[in-house]
Amino acid sequence: MKRSLILLVFAGLAYATPVPSTLITNIERRTTISLNGAWRAIVDPFDNGTSGAFYRNRIPKDKSDLVEYSFDASPVLNVPGDWNTQREQLLFYEGPVWYRRVFNYHKPANTRAFVYFGAANYRTAVFLNGERLGDHEGGFTPFNFEVTHLLREGENFLIVEVNNLRRADGVPALKFDWWNYGGITRDVSLVEVPAAFIQDYSVQLAKGSQNEIAGWVQLNGVQSAQKVAIEIPDAGVHETATTDAAGRASFRISAKLDLWSPEHPKLYDVVLRSGADTVHDQIGFRSIEVQGGKILLNGAPIFLRGISMHEEAPFRDGRAFSPEDAQTLLGWAKDLGCNFVRLAHYPHNENEIRLADRMGLLIWSEIPVYWDVDWQNPATLANAEAQLRDMIARDRNRAAVILWSLSNETPVKPERVTFLKQLAQDARELDSTRLITSAMNHTDNSVPDVRTLTDPLGEVLDVLGLNEYVGWYEARPEDADKLQWKSKWDKPLIVSEFGGGAQYGRHGEPDERWTEEYQANLYQHQLAMLQRMPNLAGLSPWVLMDFRSPGRMLPGIQDYHNRKGLISNRGQRKQAFFVLQKFYENLSEAKK
Ligand code: GCU
C-alpha cells in the first residue's frame, strides 16, 4: 500500500498526521451482500501467483494452451477462517495463498459499491475481474475498496492474495507469542451505498462531560454543503448540522442521558441521515477519565476486574470470528466476575466489541506493536499509525472501549519512546475521549524486594499497564509476599499481565510446575501482593483460555499451546479460575 504521511509543519513543530481513514464504519447496519463461504484457494509457497498473474483467473483458451494453475480445480477454504486449522498440512504454513470468489451481481441505479474485509492476516492484495483494487498490511483491522466501476452485470470474480509471512519491518515483527494464523480471517461483504453517503461518524460524550454530545459525521461523494440530521429519539435529540468543504458536519448537543455502565449497559438507537443515506447505530454514552491514581467511569472511581484474552476460538482452535465465539469467550469472562477484558494483542473482531457493549464489559483494545519492531523505519511507523487509525475508526462509538493500548512489552530505548509518542499523539488527535495506555514490563529492581516502574513511556500514558510474572518467570510464588511496588507517576496502574502455566487435569504439590495447584498457589500469592500496589486501578491476568503458540513446544504438556489459561482450550476450568473468581466476588461484595 502506498502510504503517504501528510506532514504538517505547524508553528515550527513538524508532526505527521495519519493518512485519513477510508473505512466505511458500522458495516452490520449497511446494505451488504455477504461473500462469506467456500472460496477456491491455491497454496503458493513460492509466490508463483504474482509472476503467473493468477489474478487474471485464466483458463486454457484451447487444448494446446499452457496455464499452470486452476482455481476451478483447486480445493476450497472457508471464509472467514484461518487456513491453518482447515487443513492439516497448512497448520504451520507461512506464505501466500490465492483465494477466488465468483459471484453474480445486479447493480442497482445510483448506487456505489465497495468490497469490505473485516480482516486478513497479514498482507493482502485484492483484484476484481482482473483489475488490481489495492493492497493492505496488518492482520487485524478492516479495509475496503470501491468497486463501483469494475463490477459487471452478472458474473464477477474476486481474487485475493493473502500472505502471512512474518516481516522484520512488520507490525507485529518476526517474534510473537501467538499462532501466525493466516488467511481471510473475518467476514467479507459487498457494501452498497448511495452516490453520496455517510462514510464515518463519531457520536460520543464530550471529554469530561456527562450531558453534552460532541460529534461529527463524515460524508463521501459530496461536492457542496449538505445537511445532516442526528436523531436520538429516546433522548429527545433531533438536531441538524451542515457539512464543511471536506464533507464533515460537526455538532455539540446537550442531552439528558441514561449513562452506560457495566451494571447498566444502556444503548440508545441513533439515526444519522443525509440525502439518500440513513444509518442506524446502537450507541452507549459514558464518560471515562483519570483523577490522580484512579479511573473514573461517569465521574465515580471504578476498579477493573479483568482478564486478558486472545482472539482464539474456544473448542475448535483457530481464529475466533463469529458471534457464537464472542458469546462463549465473553460469557466466560462474566462467569469469572469480570467487568473488564483486555483484548490482546491486536484489535479483535467487531462481533466481540459490539457484544461487550451489550453485555457491559469494559475493553482495553490494542495494536500489535509487540516486543521489538523496526522502531526507526518510517514504513513501520506508518503501518502502526494506520492500524491504530483504523482500530479507532471502527470502534470509536463503542461505549465499552475505554482504553487504546499502543504496545506490549517493548524495550526501553529512545527510538521506541519516539515511535510510541507519535502513536499517543495520533490516538489523542483521533479520539480525545478515551484513555491511552501500554503494557510495560521493565522496572528498576536495584533495591532488594522493591520494584519501581520508571519506564519513560509512562510519561506519555494516561494509564500505566504493567506485566509482571513473579512466581513464573522469576522467583517463586511465595516470594511475592515480600515484594513492594512503586511507580514514578501518580497515575492509575493496571497489572495487565501476571500468571503461570498449568495443564488442565495435572495435579501435584503447589511447588510442582504445570500442575493446577502450582497455578492456583501462584494466583493466591499474586492477588495478595497486588493489594499492596499503589494506585492499582485494575488487573487483567494472563490469560482467559489456553491458546496455540509456536514457542510452546513442551510435549505432552504444551504441545504448541500456551497453558496459562484459567480455562483449557476445551472449556475446562482450572483451580486458578475459582481463585480469581472468589477474589472478584469478594471485591464486588466489598463495594456494595
Ligand atoms: C508476555 C506477553 C504475552 C505472552 C506471555 C507469556 O507477557 O505479553 O503475549 O503470551 O507473556 O509469556 O505467556
Side-chain angles (χ1 to χ4, degrees):
M1 170 198 289
K2 186 177 77 61
R3 249 176 241 97
S4 58
L5 285 180
I6 302 165
L7 272 177
L8 287 177
V9 179
F10 180 74
L13 278 179
Y15 67 92
T17 179
V19 172
S21 170
T22 58
L23 266 187
I24 300 174
T25 49
N26 188 7
I27 287 302
E28 69 174 41
R29 303 300 297 271
R30 307 282 184 157
T31 305
T32 57
I33 299 163
S34 173
L35 294 179
N36 289 349
W39 293 40
R40 295 284 176 185
I42 299 171
V43 179
D44 178 17
F46 279 43
D47 198 12
N48 289 341
T50 299
S51 53
F54 285 9
Y55 67 87
R56 292 168 58 196
N57 187 32
R58 281 189 62 220
I59 50 177
K61 55 180 182 295
D62 57 38
K63 64 184 177 184
S64 60
D65 189 15
L66 172 65
V67 178
E68 290 190 273
Y69 69 94
S70 164
F71 281 104
D72 290 328
S74 295
V76 299
L77 283 173
N78 293 324
V79 170
D82 60 272
W83 61 59
N84 312 72
T85 54
Q86 292 192 50
R87 282 187 218 160
E88 185 74 30
Q89 70 267 44
L90 294 181
L91 181 60
F92 287 87
Y93 180 70
E94 293 185 306
V97 171
W98 293 80
Y99 290 78
R100 187 199 69 183
R101 178 71 153 80
V102 175
F103 60 96
N104 282 315
Y105 186 67
H106 165 65
K107 190 169 159 328
N110 299 323
T111 299
R112 292 167 68 186
F114 292 74
V115 62
Y116 178 93
F117 293 79
N121 187 49
Y122 168 77
R123 284 166 71 99
T124 308
V126 184
F127 308 82
L128 180 65
N129 299 329
E131 297 291 328
R132 185 184 196 99
L133 298 181
D135 52 24
H136 179 266
E137 183 168 350
F140 304 97
T141 44
F143 53 100
N144 46 237
F145 299 106
E146 183 157 10
V147 290
T148 309
H149 303 300
L150 286 173
L151 278 169
R152 295 171 182 160
E153 196 66 25
E155 190 173 278
N156 293 265
F157 62 93
L158 180 66
I159 288 183
V160 181
E161 179 193 16
V162 183
N163 190 334
N164 72 332
L165 267 179
R166 286 164 292 119
R167 302 169 54 90
D169 66 354
V171 177
L174 295 171
K175 301 263 297 179
F176 42 85
D177 191 19
W178 65 82
W179 204 260
N180 183 24
Y181 290 118
I184 304 177
T185 47
R186 295 182 190 157
D187 295 338
V188 183
S189 42
L190 274 180
V191 188
E192 291 179 334
V193 291
F197 70 98
I198 297 167
Q199 178 189 318
D200 190 7
Y201 51 88
S202 176
V203 182
Q204 290 281 286
L205 280 174
K207 181 89 180 163
S209 170
Q210 294 183 22
N211 55 19
E212 186 171 45
I213 295 169
W216 49 265
V217 175
Q218 178 65 54
L219 300 186
N220 179 313
V222 294
Q223 279 72 40
S224 60
Q226 304 291 319
K227 275 252 178 290
V228 174
I230 306 99
E231 297 168 18
I232 313 175
D234 289 357
V237 169
H238 301 276
E239 295 285 333
T240 59
T242 305
T243 57
D244 60 17
R248 178 169 291 208
S250 300
F251 50 84
R252 290 185 85 92
I253 303 169
S254 295
K256 184 156 175 33
L257 294 158
D258 189 3
L259 298 181
W260 185 98
S261 70
E263 296 74 25
H264 180 61
K266 164 72 178 173
L267 297 178
Y268 281 88
D269 288 327
V270 174
V271 185
L272 304 172
R273 301 178 199 280
S274 182
D277 203 10
T278 299
V279 177
H280 293 254
D281 205 343
Q282 292 249 300
I283 297 179
F285 297 94
R286 53 101 191 93
S287 74
I288 191 76
E289 304 159 90
V290 293
Q291 191 179 72
K294 298 207 176 305
I295 294 176
L296 306 183
L297 177 73
N298 301 327
I302 184 167
F303 186 84
L304 302 177
R305 306 187 307 275
I307 191 72
S308 291
M309 53 187 273
H310 264 295
E311 191 181 45
E312 186 95 356
F315 307 111
R316 74 164 191 275
D317 289 349
R319 272 282 161 253
F321 55 79
S322 69
E324 296 72 24
D325 293 336
Q327 185 64 53
T328 303
L329 292 168
L330 297 187
W332 286 345
K334 277 281 188 183
D335 289 351
L336 197 50
C338 296
N339 62 359
F340 172 62
V341 287
R342 176 185 177 212
L343 302 187
H345 284 292
Y346 38 74
H348 287 207
N349 67 76
E350 192 169 2
N351 291 317
E352 212 166 87
I353 312 290
R354 284 187 175 272
L355 179 60
D357 246 13
R358 296 193 295 273
M359 288 175 77
L361 279 167
L362 295 159
I363 284 181
W364 159 317
S365 192
E366 181 167 307
I367 54 172
V369 176
Y370 182 93
W371 288 350
D372 223 354
V373 300
D374 191 355
W375 304 107
Q376 293 174 298
N377 183 333
T380 304
L381 175 59
N383 179 355
E385 288 189 290
Q387 293 191 41
L388 176 71
R389 175 201 67 203
D390 293 342
M391 170 176 73
I392 293 175
R394 191 194 71 180
D395 299 334
R396 67 157 49 88
N397 292 305
R398 306 281 73 83
V401 180
I402 55 169
L403 289 154
W404 300 124
S405 171
L406 308 176
S407 65
N408 180 73
E409 296 195 351
T410 51
V412 182
K413 47 189 178 183
E415 56 271 31
R416 161 261 201 174
V417 177
T418 305
F419 188 101
L420 294 177
K421 272 185 175 172
Q422 179 60 54
L423 292 181
Q425 182 176 297
D426 291 356
R428 292 193 171 100
E429 197 178 293
L430 290 164
D431 176 2
S432 64
T433 69
R434 287 178 177 82
L435 304 174
I436 308 300
T437 190
S438 265
M440 300 172 281
N441 65 331
H442 296 278
T443 52
D444 171 358
N445 304 349
S446 55
V447 176
D449 295 334
V450 177
R451 299 275 193 279
T452 307
L453 184 56
T454 56
D455 185 327
L457 182 59
E459 204 61 52
V460 176
L461 307 175
D462 298 315
V463 174
L464 308 171
L466 174 67
N467 294 355
E468 50 85 11
Y469 278 89
V470 175
W472 186 257
Y473 291 123
E474 57 156 322
R476 299 167 310 130
E478 292 73 14
D479 296 328
D481 299 352
K482 61 186 183 225
L483 276 184
Q484 296 303 318
W485 292 85
K486 294 183 176 168
S487 168
K488 184 178 171 183
W489 298 277
D490 181 25
K491 294 183 177 181
L493 173 67
I494 294 175
V495 173
S496 33
E497 288 184 35
F498 73 79
Q503 182 184 27
Y504 174 76
R506 178 179 291 267
H507 295 289
E509 292 304 308
D511 62 352
E512 184 182 344
R513 285 266 181 187
W514 306 112
T515 62
E516 288 192 46
E517 288 75 11
Y518 187 104
Q519 188 188 43
N521 179 51
L522 182 149
Y523 268 71
Q524 298 282 14
H525 288 281
Q526 274 276 356
L527 293 170
M529 173 182 76
L530 297 186
Q531 295 180 75
R532 302 195 305 272
M533 261 190 190
N535 290 341
L536 184 71
L539 52 142
S540 50
W542 193 257
V543 66
L544 178 68
M545 184 182 85
D546 292 351
F547 60 93
R548 210 190 276 276
S549 173
R552 309 295 176 171
M553 47 282 248
L554 184 59
I557 291 182
Q558 294 178 312
D559 298 321
Y560 291 108
H561 284 78
N562 184 311
R563 295 290 181 203
K564 296 186 184 71
L566 294 177
I567 301 175
S568 77
N569 49 310
R570 294 291 169 268
Q572 302 147 313
R573 296 176 185 194
K574 305 172 191 175
Q575 288 176 14
F577 176 95
F578 302 101
V579 172
L580 185 61
Q581 185 187 52
K582 186 68 188 155
F583 177 75
Y584 283 162
E585 199 178 295
N586 294 341
L587 272 187
S588 301
E589 286 306 314
K591 265 180 59 67
K592 282 174 186 160

